[in-house]
Amino acid sequence: MCYCMFASKAVWEKFTPQKKFDRQMYHYGNFSQDFLWGVSSSAYQIEGGWNAEGKGPSVWDTFTQKPGSEIPEDVNGNVACDSYNRLDEDLYMLQALKVKSYRFSLSWSRVFPNGRRESMNQKGVDYYNRLINGLLARKITPMVTIYHWDLPQALQDIGGWQNVEMVDIFNDYCDFCFATFGDRVKFWMTMNDPQGLAWQGYGTGQIPPNIKEPGTAPYQVAHNLIKAHATAYHTYDDKYRASQRGMVSIALKADWVEPKDINVPRDLVAADRAMQFHVGWFAHPIFKNGDYPEALKAQVLVKSELQGLSQSRLPSFTEEEKNLIKGTADMFCVNHYTTRLVTHITGLLSPHSYQNDWDFTEEQDSGSPATAIKNQRAVSWGLRRLLNWIMEEYGDPEIYITDNGGATTAKTSWDDIDRVFFYKTYINEALKAYELDGVLLKGYTATSLMDSFEWLNGYTVGYGFYHVDFTDPNRPRTPKLSAHFYFQLMKDNGFPITEDEKIEMMKTIIRERSLAAGLTKSRYHKKTKEKLLLSALLDILFF
């Protein structure tokens, strides 16, 4: 096995021998006292007010307002949860949940309607100032995503992220945000899920700006996104860090993959390659050496040569750019939802495509519970493995889970027991990674505060702790069962063992050790019983 597979190999060797019973074993324990519990949202999904008080159109406004968008019932985010007009209600919900943090995004076209500083909209700035101040007044930490997919339409009109000018334009927008909000915001993410934007926005064209150039545009866009992130990071470093003392990172989507057959070497290599194509594409330059992973570079180069091209479709960074990009994150922010199984294939050479470059296929773990989102099964054990992989692959960084949640159908207004199970199992796997494996996990952000506009799924599914009635102009919000569960979980700071559970564990330990010692009831005399009881008590006390 080559050195580049070290992290993946280490994780598979550690966890593959686990039996299903061991994998599903519940773990009792607590997170650190300063663990940052929170909930998330994003601007286009909840704010509404799409053209209110000077806001300019974004690419999502343009896309959803055209008939035939393929979003169920042709709905859009024009009103959504109406958070732009119901800020006090949002703050009330957050206070009722007693979260420590709230992750939200800034609408770029609400702050700069045409995407540039000269169009600055004071009403939009005032809205975010009220939100930030309201959070701090309630002792809630703002976690701010500067850009969450909703590019101002005016910037798409000049080519969007295919235009290298976007690097400087984005930097100026970030500079304004740092200068305006940075005295109170100490946790920044420059952008959310750039991999999804690059592939779905510019490759398949499923989401705005709906460009379908799968062989070149995703790589070109990713190249510019990485440079834009790094430039903004250095702006914070150079101008604001000394006085504001905040942290800056980027929120990367990272689902876990497993080789479908651990005994097939090609599947092992394919699964590692999948992690590099999905996560390493952005994480390797930022967290390692300023450049793309070797597996990604080699794969695209070979495919490009076989296609008769004179050079790789994957752009190259200059040495100066590598130095600019390397180390431009203060923590690892990860969005995680599911785990898939990977098998090696030989992908097509035509058409040219990022996906055809993979040479692997992915399938769901059919033995895990389905959610309301297609291809997003609840595979909780994958989270622990992913966190271990990040620790091994990227040098043991501090990690914040910045998005994690399970969707239910929109009809689920209160009894979302499936989501309770999702959170209980996923967060328990995160606890195992923290307590048993030594992962530096610092926070967990649940998706999401309330049901909202769920991108291509419209309002047919919900991730919220609060149900929102989108048929009512007042958008009433009602807490679900999962809100009560998450409230108690945060209050307990994990999964502390109860007295009843201690007694049951003690009985189980005594029974198992009696069987192991070959003791029957007739041989189970008083002194032996006392010794086993003492042994079990000590195990429980030091559990």
Side-chain angles (χ1 to χ4, degrees), residues 26-42:
Y26 198 68
H27 179 69
Y28 294 95
N30 297 94
F31 292 96
S32 63
Q33 287 302 308
D34 61 349
F35 194 76
L36 198 62
W37 293 102
V39 291
S40 70
S41 71
S42 82

Side-chain angles (χ1 to χ4, degrees), residues 224-381:
N224 290 334
L225 287 168
I226 291 168
K227 290 192 288 186
H229 159 78
T231 303
Y233 180 91
H234 285 290
T235 292
Y236 189 83
D237 241 10
D238 297 341
K239 297 178 65 174
Y240 303 104
R241 187 181 298 276
S243 60
Q244 296 182 0
R245 301 185 181 280
M247 302 188 298
V248 181
S249 188
I250 181 172
L252 301 178
K253 183 181 178 185
D255 290 333
W256 180 241
V257 302
E258 289 275 312
K260 186 173 182 180
D261 188 339
I262 197 75
N263 298 309
V264 176
R266 291 204 309 179
D267 284 0
L268 283 171
V269 176
D272 180 75
R273 187 165 63 249
M275 292 305 296
Q276 298 303 337
F277 262 88
H278 293 335
V279 186
W281 189 10
F282 288 84
H284 197 282
I286 292 167
F287 289 91
K288 296 195 85 167
N289 65 355
D291 199 6
Y292 297 117
E294 290 301 321
L296 176 63
K297 291 196 293 183
Q299 189 75 12
V300 181
L301 177 61
V302 168
K303 288 279 186 174
S304 299
E305 289 176 345
L306 291 172
Q307 291 158 347
L309 302 177
S310 60
Q311 62 184 21
S312 176
R313 286 178 283 106
L314 180 70
S316 298
F317 292 116
T318 66
E319 290 304 314
E320 183 180 0
E321 288 171 339
K322 291 176 188 177
N323 290 328
L324 175 82
I325 295 163
K326 179 182 177 181
T328 52
D330 300 319
M331 61 284 190
F332 199 109
C333 295
V334 57
N335 301 346
H336 174 77
Y337 291 92
T338 192
T339 290
R340 298 184 181 89
L341 308 178
V342 164
T343 305
H344 172 84
I345 62 165
T346 300
L348 299 173
L349 291 177
S350 181
H352 299 180
S353 166
Y354 164 75
Q355 187 167 352
N356 287 341
D357 291 340
W358 295 353
D359 279 355
F360 61 80
T361 59
E362 297 178 311
E363 62 185 84
Q364 295 195 73
D365 177 23
S366 59
S368 296
T371 70
I373 297 287
K374 184 182 177 183
N375 298 328
Q376 205 176 89
R377 286 183 176 265
V379 192
S380 58
W381 50 263

Side-chain angles (χ1 to χ4, degrees), residues 97-145:
L97 270 178
K98 294 193 183 301
V99 293
K100 289 184 179 180
S101 66
Y102 179 47
R103 181 187 175 197
F104 64 94
S105 73
L106 307 175
S107 167
W108 192 339
S109 61
R110 195 179 297 285
V111 178
F112 291 173
N114 72 3
R116 300 175 190 261
R117 189 184 291 252
E118 72 266 11
S119 67
M120 193 272 286
N121 174 28
Q122 189 59 48
K123 294 282 189 181
V125 174
D126 292 345
Y127 170 72
Y128 293 116
N129 275 324
R130 290 197 303 274
L131 172 54
I132 292 165
N133 293 340
L135 292 172
L136 294 174
R138 292 161 176 80
K139 296 182 170 55
I140 299 171
T141 299
M143 298 171 64
V144 178
T145 308

Side-chain angles (χ1 to χ4, degrees), residues 330-483:
D330 300 319
M331 61 284 190
F332 199 109
C333 295
V334 57
N335 301 346
H336 174 77
Y337 291 92
T338 192
T339 290
R340 298 184 181 89
L341 308 178
V342 164
T343 305
H344 172 84
I345 62 165
T346 300
L348 299 173
L349 291 177
S350 181
H352 299 180
S353 166
Y354 164 75
Q355 187 167 352
N356 287 341
D357 291 340
W358 295 353
D359 279 355
F360 61 80
T361 59
E362 297 178 311
E363 62 185 84
Q364 295 195 73
D365 177 23
S366 59
S368 296
T371 70
I373 297 287
K374 184 182 177 183
N375 298 328
Q376 205 176 89
R377 286 183 176 265
V379 192
S380 58
W381 50 263
L383 176 56
R384 181 182 180 186
R385 301 185 188 198
L386 172 70
L387 294 172
N388 272 264
W389 181 79
I390 292 171
M391 176 176 68
E392 297 284 354
E393 179 77 1
Y394 300 113
D396 202 14
E398 291 187 347
I399 302 172
Y400 290 83
I401 297 170
T402 45
D403 249 3
N404 179 239
T408 55
T409 62
K411 295 177 182 178
T412 307
S413 59
W414 184 79
D415 186 11
D416 59 342
I417 190 66
D418 290 343
R419 291 182 77 253
V420 171
F421 180 76
F422 181 99
Y423 284 118
K424 188 172 185 178
T425 53
Y426 268 79
I427 296 172
N428 197 251
E429 291 296 319
L431 179 64
K432 291 177 188 177
Y434 169 72
E435 277 210 323
L436 303 181
D437 307 329
V439 172
L440 295 178
L441 185 62
K442 305 291 287 184
Y444 176 89
T445 305
T447 309
S448 57
L449 173 61
M450 57 186 155
D451 293 343
S452 60
F453 178 83
E454 286 302 333
W455 307 114
L456 296 180
N457 292 286
Y459 299 106
T460 61
V461 301
Y463 282 91
F465 286 120
Y466 287 81
H467 173 263
V468 179
D469 184 353
F470 294 104
T471 66
D472 188 325
N474 294 318
R475 298 298 195 265
R477 293 94 183 267
T478 309
K480 302 179 188 178
L481 181 63
S482 58

